[in-house]
Amino acid sequence: MTIVPDWRRVLKRAWSVRLIVFAALFSSAEVALPFLGDFISPGRMAALSALATAGAFVARILAQKDMEDGT
């Protein structure tokens, strides 16, 4: 396994990375929900996390305009 040569650019521009960050935030929020009371239902955070993860999967396999070679 090797790291992509332009990994810094990938971290800044790739939608898959952004969506993975959102999924992690939603998962973390779900863990914190018992401490927040009835602010939002736990199932809703799990659904948001699942949607963000699915979006990251799709974004990972699609060609992204800002990620083309030579730009």
Side-chain angles (χ1 to χ4, degrees):
M1 177 169 52
T2 59
I3 295 177
V4 179
D6 58 347
W7 62 270
R8 287 185 179 105
R9 191 178 96 176
V10 171
L11 284 179
K12 289 180 187 176
R13 296 185 180 178
W15 275 101
S16 56
V17 173
R18 294 174 187 174
L19 290 168
I20 289 168
V21 169
F22 281 127
L25 291 173
F26 292 140
S27 294
S28 300
E30 186 175 12
V31 171
L33 282 177
F35 303 108
L36 300 175
D38 294 331
F39 180 67
I40 190 169
S41 67
R44 189 165 292 168
M45 282 296 174
L48 289 172
S49 178
L51 286 173
T53 303
F57 175 76
V58 171
R60 181 66 184 106
I61 61 173
L62 293 177
Q64 297 178 35
K65 181 180 174 186
D66 291 341
M67 299 306 300
E68 292 176 359
D69 292 336
T71 58

